[in-house]
Amino acid sequence: MRGSLVKLISIAVFVPTLILLSISGFFLYKNFVQYQKVQESKKYLELTKKLENMLIYLGQERGVSSIYSVSKGKYPNVKKLITQKRILFSNSINDLKQFINKNPEFYKNVNNIISLANNLPVIRKKIDTFKDNYIKTYFFTYYTKLEQEILKSLTQIQAYYPDKIKSIYAIKLPIEKIIAYSGIVRGFGSYYITADTPMSEKEYKNVLLKYYHDSNLLLKSPNIEKFFNNSEFKKIEKDIKTVIFYLQQANMQYYINNTFDGYAIDAYDYFNLFTKRINFFNNSVNKLNNEVNTNLNLIVKNATNNLIINSIIFLLSILILILGMYIVKLIKSHINELSNLLTTLAPITGKNIQIDISSTKGINEAIKVVNDSIKIIQESIKKSEEATKAKSLFLANMSHEIRTPLNGILGFLEILKTTDLTPEQEEYVDTISQSAKNLLQIVNNILDISKIESNKVTIEEIEFKALDEFESTLEIFATPASHKHIQYVTEISPNMPSILKGDILKIKEIITNLINNAIKFTPENGIISVKILLQEIINNKAKIYFEVRDTGIGMSEAQKAKIFEAFTQADASVTRKYGGTGLGLTIVKSYLEMMGSHINVESEINKGSRFYFTINLEVIDSKPRYKQNSFNNTTLAILNTSKETLRKEYAIEYLNYFGVSRIGFNNKNELIELKNSEKIDAIVVFFEESNKEDIFELTDLNIPIITITSFVYKENIDKLNPEASIFDPNYPSKTYQALSTIKNKAPIIQKRKTTIQEKPIYQIKALIAEDNPINRKLLQTKLKSMGIESDIATNGLDAFNKYTMYPEKYDVIFMDIQMPTMDGIEATQEIIEFEKEEGIPHTPIIAVTANVLKGDKERFLGTGMDDYISKPIETNELERVIKNIAKHKYTPNEEIEEQNSIQESKEPIKAINVESNKENKIIVATESSFLTKYLKSILEEDFDIASNLNELNKKIDDNTILIIEENFNEADMNILINTIKEDYPNIKILVIGDTNYENINGIIQDLNPETLNNAIKKIKGNQ
């Protein structure tokens, strides 16, 4: 059986291969013959082109010769013209002869033409003597005969064309005859008009009537009818009929009256008119020639491709034959290997047998072994998946159960800190608090790793403001770095696109993990440098470079190899000394790989480490947040430092970007001398790197001072009282704000009035739905510390009952999720349904839960809850929610207006000041708190703020002067401005930016106080 199986395999391989080889060989031969025919057709078409050129230039020479002969060379410019036409015709004859010399096999097709053409020099000499009658002697006896031979050859050659081209030449050849006939009429008529003699009646009938009036001249047929429907041709034909009429009229007069008064037309005009006719048809021939060339190229291409393809197939057939021989040999070997493998697989099913798949019995045994093995493995996979699900469920429950008591611990520790404690007690409380926070971080890291391992983490594409997100992330570590006296410096590209798109939350988590490690492993007085740099923008993708470098303990090569493994640190001693789970870098590596990047690390023991990577992010708005050279009229005097630091290097780079001019000085006396010759806007002092005595001496010079230093020196800086202070980490926004403060220093105007009536926090009443007594007590205590009274519900049903009894009593409901009887989600839905049925205003419902897995927040908000606070409850998060409630952030606008109107209706009605209503109110639309502060300091009039489109919509009216920042709320400015103008035609709009939009009253590119105030005054003056 073994031999028969190999034999069957050999038949299966070799028989199809030999069949393929035979078929491909046959088609290769057939396509080679076809290719040769196509090449021969190409040469016939080349010969046709040569003959057509002769036909064109023959007609031109014949026509010009008519005028030349009859005028005996005296017609204006005729000698020059006849010379040009003869050269062209001679060249076309030489081209034909050269072609025949290269391709003698075509001589039989043109031998008569060449014989006649050889007599051309003799004919020309006779014509030049002006002795013979040109028309009778040469016009028909030589030129027309040569023309007929060319047309005859063209007709014969058609037989050798491919079918596609034959159909085109069936149209083309009649048109060429039209051209030839038109040439005859042109030359014949030109001769007699130039001679100014009548034609004989015989000549008139045999030539003019035959070649112009004969129906064969136009050769009308369905294929060429389209050429005569052209408006250009019809106009030419109309003009020709007119001159033919004059020609006929003069000759008819002669035939009837035997008197001849001459022709009423000019020979040159007659010649040109028929030349136009010939040119028109020549253009038609050229179009057909292009079609011929297109078809020919396609035919040649197809023939070449077919030949190449069949050659390749034939070669492949030979290769397949060779490969088949190798495969048969290889299969024999693999049959033995597979038999051995299946023999080793058999024990998985509990059998010990020898399998030989070269036999039928062996194949049956192999199938049974494989099927049994698959079932066993599937059962194992199913158990593994169930174990993974159980693990995920366990982690989710563990997270919830651990967070619940941690919420109580951390919350009450925070409250405990507000009581009177001894220093020793404060130390104990801090230790407990830090331990609880460490435990919370461990829980978070374990959950992250679990989600990554379970492939439950996805990359989210979110639009974000680049500088805002990066700078806020770096600012978090200013305090912990200053506690260890670490020089914490950052370099962010100021030309970073203002809006990017990517998973900013994961990017921030990556940066946070790396900086956390750097602070943990860097000793006191060390250095941590963070870089976030724009490298390039290609195809609307920004390549961003991230780097975290420290002067910490460093690592060896062996330690570097394992730091990205879960629950692993450089060595056991590191864990004992510095703590941590060893999960941070594992999360970093996983997130970067999901984003298509990877983490690089360089490190040396006792010298520090450098972690770096790049991420490609989609660019939404490539315009930088801060314009380059925006302070190019500012000059700063920089106190020279005793040492060069990264803090100074990065600060200088920011100043360079903003176009600031810099002058260095060593002490107060040098600066006084500089002040006499230079305009100094401010002094920059690097406090930590400079002599302190020199610094404090500068306060007497009445020049604004900008300090740049670590937060460690805040007390010293407060004593110095500079106009602007930049504490580590310095980044573009801090530098910009400091420069703006110096450049635009002015008194601050009264703060704008609030349009929404805020509710005092102490008047807020809360309902807490929480089943855990510790967490219930904690939240109630936190709210009480803010002056907020609260009621308690132990489950969702209890909360629903208490709320529905007195719905107007509560301003907010804090809702736990997992509660007995009725959970938080069901209670929320019941409350919302109750509000709709009763038609009462909605009371904000805030989810307070230990459920922190991906999608939990979105799920809770999707059920109708208004916000989300995770356990353990952070005080700043709770304060944020309370402030939002006080400002009615969770209440629809119409409800706010209704509440405000109710409150206003309770107030005494005041007299209306008609004059004040006519005053323009100023509204500034901006999201920038810095721009708001700056405008308050420079504008001479009060104004209101709109920080988003909803606020702007509520505040503006027809009597508004609107100052709007370009790209406000990331809106399309053209659409926004046009919409505002449609609703409020009399509104006046000033745009702060670089683009001049339609329907605005002015653009402000320079935030100079005088410019802004004058622009507002100008608008008011024009009203």
Side-chain angles (χ1 to χ4, degrees):
M1 288 296 295
R2 177 168 182 152
S4 61
L5 179 59
V6 174
K7 189 175 181 181
L8 288 173
I9 291 172
S10 300
I11 292 171
V13 170
F14 291 129
V15 170
T17 305
L18 291 171
I19 292 172
L20 177 62
L21 189 64
S22 302
I23 293 172
S24 62
F26 170 75
F27 280 104
L28 177 62
Y29 172 76
K30 184 178 178 181
N31 278 282
F32 178 72
V33 172
Q34 181 65 29
Y35 177 78
Q36 286 183 318
K37 288 182 179 179
V38 169
Q39 293 302 318
E40 185 180 23
S41 296
K42 276 182 67 177
K43 289 187 178 181
Y44 272 112
L45 286 168
E46 190 178 350
L47 174 60
T48 299
K49 184 64 178 173
K50 306 292 183 187
L51 294 175
E52 286 173 348
N53 286 339
M54 282 185 66
L55 205 58
I56 292 168
Y57 297 130
L58 182 149
Q60 291 178 0
E61 180 175 328
R62 177 177 56 193
V64 175
S65 295
S66 297
I67 300 173
Y68 172 73
S69 177
V70 75
S71 68
K72 300 189 185 304
K74 294 179 180 179
Y75 195 87
N77 295 322
V78 74
K79 286 185 177 180
K80 182 179 179 181
L81 193 59
I82 191 67
T83 302
Q84 291 175 350
K85 300 306 178 183
R86 286 177 175 178
I87 291 171
L88 291 172
F89 188 35
S90 296
N91 289 341
S92 67
I93 294 170
N94 290 332
D95 284 346
L96 176 65
K97 290 178 178 179
Q98 289 175 7
F99 176 81
I100 296 301
N101 289 335
K102 291 180 181 178
N103 305 280
E105 66 271 20
F106 295 104
Y107 179 74
K108 64 181 183 296
N109 301 101
V110 295
N111 57 343
N112 291 338
I113 296 170
I114 292 175
S115 296
L116 284 170
N118 289 335
N119 293 330
L120 183 60
V122 176
I123 299 299
R124 285 174 177 171
K125 284 182 181 180
K126 289 180 179 180
I127 291 171
D128 290 342
T129 62
F130 308 118
K131 292 179 179 179
D132 301 320
N133 185 317
Y134 170 71
I135 291 294
K136 294 178 179 178
T137 309
Y138 308 111
F139 190 92
F140 289 107
T141 57
Y142 179 75
Y143 285 105
T144 303
K145 185 177 180 182
L146 178 58
E147 185 178 62
Q148 289 171 349
E149 284 295 331
I150 294 173
L151 289 171
K152 180 180 176 183
S153 293
L154 287 172
T155 304
Q156 293 171 348
I157 289 171
Q158 280 190 70
Y160 300 99
Y161 298 157
D163 292 336
K164 282 188 178 181
I165 296 176
K166 278 182 183 178
S167 60
I168 299 172
Y169 268 91
I171 301 171
K172 183 180 168 187
L173 192 59
I175 295 174
E176 288 176 336
K177 287 182 180 180
I178 293 173
I179 294 170
Y181 293 165
S182 297
I184 292 171
V185 176
R186 176 181 64 181
F188 183 79
S190 298
Y191 179 88
Y192 278 99
I193 293 169
T194 305
D196 202 25
T197 58
M199 303 175 188
S200 68
E201 194 169 354
K202 180 181 178 182
E203 289 174 329
Y204 178 81
K205 290 178 180 179
N206 291 342
V207 179
L208 200 63
L209 290 179
K210 177 179 178 182
Y211 288 105
Y212 182 72
H213 289 289
D214 196 317
S215 60
N216 290 332
L217 179 64
L218 294 180
L219 298 164
K220 293 191 176 182
S221 69
N223 288 329
I224 61 173
E225 183 72 29
K226 58 184 178 181
F227 294 105
F228 308 122
N229 292 328
N230 185 282
S231 58
E232 180 186 353
F233 174 75
K234 287 179 180 179
K235 183 179 181 307
I236 295 169
E237 208 60 13
K238 182 180 177 182
D239 293 340
I240 288 175
K241 285 179 181 178
T242 301
V243 298
I244 291 295
F245 171 76
Y246 290 133
L247 198 66
Q248 290 172 336
Q249 192 178 42
N251 284 295
M252 285 299 179
Q253 183 181 356
Y254 171 71
Y255 302 148
I256 296 170
N257 301 326
N258 202 27
T259 59
F260 181 71
D261 297 331
Y263 297 105
I265 50 177
D266 182 68
Y268 188 74
D269 293 338
Y270 176 88
F271 186 88
N272 284 341
L273 198 54
F274 270 93
T275 299
K276 285 183 181 179
R277 188 177 202 260
I278 291 168
N279 287 341
F280 172 79
F281 283 111
N282 275 332
N283 290 336
S284 300
V285 169
N286 288 336
K287 291 177 183 177
L288 291 170
N289 282 336
N290 291 336
E291 191 174 347
V292 168
N293 290 333
T294 301
N295 280 282
L296 178 63
N297 290 334
L298 184 61
I299 291 168
V300 171
K301 182 180 178 182
N302 289 338
T304 305
N305 289 343
N306 289 338
L307 184 63
I308 292 171
I309 291 169
N310 278 279
S311 299
I312 292 171
I313 294 173
F314 184 74
L315 291 173
L316 284 175
S317 301
I318 295 172
L319 289 175
I320 290 171
L321 182 62
I322 296 170
L323 185 62
M325 296 170 66
Y326 171 75
I327 288 172
V328 169
K329 182 180 178 182
L330 199 61
I331 287 174
K332 291 179 183 178
S333 172
H334 286 340
I335 286 174
N336 291 329
E337 291 176 1
L338 189 56
S339 296
N340 294 333
L341 177 63
L342 290 169
T343 299
T344 57
L345 185 65
I348 294 176
T349 64
K351 299 177 181 177
N352 288 311
I353 54 175
Q354 184 71 32
I355 297 175
D356 182 3
I357 62 171
S358 63
S359 64
T360 303
K361 180 183 177 183
I363 290 174
N364 292 332
E365 288 176 343
I367 292 171
K368 190 173 186 308
V369 166
V370 170
N371 285 335
D372 292 344
S373 299
I374 288 172
K375 289 178 183 177
I376 293 169
I377 291 170
Q378 284 176 336
E379 289 176 2
S380 300
I381 291 171
K382 185 178 178 181
K383 289 178 181 177
S384 175
E385 288 174 347
E386 289 173 353
T388 301
K389 289 180 183 177
K391 172 185 158 187
S392 298
L393 183 61
F394 166 74
L395 287 171
N397 290 333
M398 182 195 73
S399 168
H400 183 273
E401 295 305 322
I402 293 178
R403 282 173 177 273
T404 299
L406 276 177
N407 179 45
I409 294 169
L410 287 171
F412 280 109
L413 283 173
E414 195 172 332
I415 295 170
L416 187 60
K417 286 180 183 179
T418 63
T419 63
D420 293 330
L421 298 173
T422 65
E424 186 178 9
Q425 288 172 331
E426 285 183 0
E427 185 179 347
Y428 293 158
V429 169
D430 288 340
T431 302
I432 296 169
S433 178
Q434 187 58 49
S435 298
K437 288 178 180 177
N438 290 344
L439 178 58
L440 182 61
Q441 184 60 46
I442 291 170
V443 171
N444 289 337
N445 285 345
I446 292 173
L447 281 174
D448 284 342
I449 288 296
S450 174
K451 286 186 283 185
I452 291 170
E453 290 178 348
S454 303
N455 293 321
K456 291 185 178 179
V457 178
T458 57
I459 298 299
E460 298 179 1
E461 295 295 324
I462 305 167
E463 294 182 11
F464 63 92
K465 296 181 178 179
L467 281 186
D468 287 354
E469 296 291 351
F470 294 150
E471 291 176 352
S472 63
T473 304
L474 299 180
E475 186 65 32
I476 295 170
F477 300 96
T479 301
S482 66
H483 286 166
K484 293 182 72 173
H485 292 261
I486 291 172
Q487 184 186 152
Y488 175 43
V489 293
T490 59
E491 181 184 14
I492 303 179
S493 295
N495 63 336
M496 185 81 66
S498 57
I499 301 177
L500 299 172
K501 188 174 184 180
D503 198 330
I504 185 58
L505 296 178
K506 290 183 177 60
I507 294 172
K508 288 167 70 172
E509 187 171 347
I510 290 167
I511 298 171
T512 299
N513 275 324
L514 293 176
I515 299 178
N516 262 329
N517 280 349
I519 292 175
K520 182 193 297 185
F521 297 117
T522 300
E524 290 192 2
N525 301 313
I527 300 172
I528 295 175
S529 165
V530 181
K531 292 185 178 184
I532 304 177
L533 306 176
L534 172 65
Q535 289 189 331
E536 60 185 6
I537 298 178
I538 299 177
N539 296 329
N540 207 43
K541 288 281 188 179
K543 186 177 183 181
I544 312 296
Y545 172 80
F546 297 82
E547 176 186 294
V548 177
R549 185 194 295 263
D550 63 63
T551 57
I553 60 175
M555 294 174 287
S556 66
E557 290 298 321
Q559 291 170 335
K560 282 195 295 183
K562 59 182 181 178
I563 56 170
F564 295 109
E565 298 174 9
F567 305 101
T568 303
Q569 290 192 339
D571 58 40
S573 62
V574 170
T575 306
R576 288 195 300 270
K577 183 175 180 180
Y578 297 99
T581 60
L583 292 174
L585 289 178
T586 307
I587 294 169
V588 166
K589 179 176 180 289
S590 299
Y591 282 172
L592 284 175
E593 287 175 351
M594 292 173 68
M595 295 181 196
S597 182
H598 64 279
I599 185 77
N600 300 285
V601 58
E602 296 174 1
S603 186
E604 192 173 343
I605 291 179
N606 298 326
K607 289 190 177 181
S609 301
R610 172 184 171 228
F611 292 86
Y612 60 98
F613 57 91
T614 59
I615 299 178
N616 291 318
L617 299 171
E618 183 181 347
V619 177
I620 302 301
D621 186 354
S622 61
K623 182 180 177 183
R625 178 176 175 182
Y626 299 114
K627 189 177 179 182
Q628 193 170 9
N629 298 323
S630 49
F631 292 94
N632 55 0
N633 294 323
T634 303
T635 302
L636 302 181
I638 299 178
L639 179 62
N640 292 331
T641 57
S642 57
K643 58 181 178 180
E644 298 297 320
T645 60
L646 287 175
R647 180 187 292 119
K648 181 178 179 181
E649 179 185 329
Y650 295 163
I652 296 297
E653 288 180 6
Y654 294 149
L655 294 176
N656 288 340
Y657 175 82
F658 290 118
V660 174
S661 299
R662 296 176 285 108
I663 303 174
F665 70 96
N666 292 313
N667 50 50
K668 177 181 177 181
N669 293 332
E670 278 190 22
L671 183 58
I672 293 172
E673 291 181 12
L674 288 170
K675 187 180 177 184
N676 294 331
S677 59
E678 300 282 351
K679 171 183 169 290
I680 306 296
D681 293 296
I683 303 167
V684 176
V685 171
F686 293 94
F687 190 85
E688 191 174 342
E689 293 88 342
S690 304
N691 184 286
K692 307 304 179 281
E693 292 180 3
D694 291 339
I695 294 173
F696 282 94
E697 285 179 359
L698 301 175
T699 56
D700 303 332
L701 297 181
N702 196 27
I703 302 176
I705 296 176
I706 301 173
T707 58
I708 302 176
T709 188
S710 169
F711 196 77
V712 174
Y713 297 95
K714 187 177 186 305
E715 290 185 9
N716 304 76
I717 300 301
D718 290 341
K719 292 176 184 177
L720 186 63
N721 192 26
E723 275 66 23
S725 300
I726 298 175
F727 293 107
D728 291 344
N730 186 11
Y731 38 71
S733 294
K734 287 186 178 180
T735 302
Y736 183 88
Q737 290 170 10
L739 292 171
S740 299
T741 301
I742 296 302
K743 198 67 179 173
N744 306 299
K745 193 177 177 186
I748 297 177
I749 298 175
Q750 182 180 1
K751 190 176 182 180
R752 66 181 175 91
K753 297 178 181 178
T754 306
T755 56
I756 297 178
Q757 299 177 6
E758 294 187 13
K759 185 168 187 175
I761 290 178
Y762 62 84
Q763 291 183 5
I764 293 175
K765 181 76 175 181
L767 175 61
I768 300 172
E770 171 64 71
D771 63 317
N772 186 290
I774 296 174
N775 289 336
R776 200 163 56 224
K777 180 67 176 174
L778 170 62
L779 183 53
Q780 195 171 28
T781 305
K782 280 182 175 284
L783 291 174
K784 187 176 180 181
S785 68
M786 299 179 188
I788 298 172
E789 294 184 6
S790 58
D791 290 341
I792 296 299
T794 57
N795 57 58
L797 181 61
D798 190 14
F800 174 74
N801 291 333
K802 287 186 176 181
Y803 175 73
T804 52
M805 288 177 65
Y806 305 103
E808 73 283 351
K809 180 179 179 181
Y810 300 108
D811 299 291
V812 61
I813 302 171
F814 291 99
M815 186 75 73
D816 186 24
I817 300 299
Q818 294 185 359
M819 293 184 290
T821 309
M822 180 186 286
D823 63 27
I825 293 175
E826 187 178 354
T828 297
Q829 293 169 339
E830 291 294 333
I831 289 170
I832 293 173
E833 187 65 27
F834 169 77
E835 290 172 340
K836 289 179 180 177
E837 290 174 356
E838 297 297 321
I840 60 176
H842 173 62
T843 298
I845 302 173
I846 312 300
V848 184
T849 178
N851 296 79
V852 293
L853 293 178
K854 178 178 175 59
D856 284 342
K857 179 178 179 179
E858 292 76 10
R859 181 162 56 90
F860 301 147
L861 296 181
T863 62
M865 294 182 172
D866 299 276
D867 210 334
Y868 169 95
I869 300 176
S870 65
K871 297 176 183 177
I873 299 171
E874 296 284 346
T875 302
N876 59 349
E877 274 293 287
L878 185 59
E879 289 174 350
R880 175 185 66 80
V881 169
I882 295 300
K883 287 178 182 177
N884 286 344
I885 292 165
K887 294 179 180 179
H888 308 286
K889 287 288 183 69
Y890 303 115
T891 308
N893 293 334
E894 56 269 18
E895 291 186 15
I896 294 174
E897 291 169 4
E898 183 180 344
Q899 292 170 15
N900 287 345
S901 65
I902 292 171
Q903 291 180 12
E904 289 168 1
S905 66
K906 295 177 182 177
E907 296 178 359
I909 300 175
K910 298 179 181 178
I912 299 174
N913 187 340
V914 178
E915 279 304 313
S916 66
N917 284 342
K918 293 181 181 178
E919 286 292 320
N920 293 105
K921 66 176 179 179
I922 301 173
I923 293 177
V924 176
T926 178
E927 300 171 83
S928 170
S929 58
F930 169 73
L931 180 60
T932 302
K933 292 177 183 176
Y934 172 61
L935 291 177
K936 285 179 182 177
S937 70
I938 65 168
L939 289 183
E940 297 171 357
E941 302 189 37
D942 290 338
F943 60 88
D944 203 355
I945 297 294
S947 59
N948 56 56
L949 292 174
N950 288 333
E951 287 186 14
L952 180 62
N953 189 42
K954 288 189 292 183
K955 293 179 180 181
I956 60 173
D957 56 31
D958 230 15
N959 204 33
T960 298
I961 296 176
L962 175 62
I963 302 174
I964 185 167
E965 184 181 17
E966 194 170 17
N967 296 327
F968 174 65
N969 257 213
E970 301 176 13
D972 185 310
M973 292 299 290
N974 282 313
I975 295 174
L976 178 60
I977 290 167
N978 290 335
T979 303
I980 292 172
K981 276 289 187 181
E982 286 176 9
D983 295 340
Y984 306 102
N986 296 323
I987 196 170
K988 308 300 179 186
I989 301 176
L990 294 172
V991 174
I992 299 175
D994 299 319
T995 307
N996 192 5
Y997 300 96
E998 292 183 7
N999 295 325
I1000 66 173
N1001 299 87
I1003 180 168
I1004 301 171
Q1005 295 175 311
D1006 181 9
L1007 289 176
N1008 183 281
E1010 185 177 352
T1011 304
L1012 273 168
N1013 286 306
N1014 286 343
I1016 294 171
K1017 289 176 182 176
K1018 184 177 179 182
I1019 287 177
K1020 286 193 168 186
N1022 290 336
Q1023 303 237 338

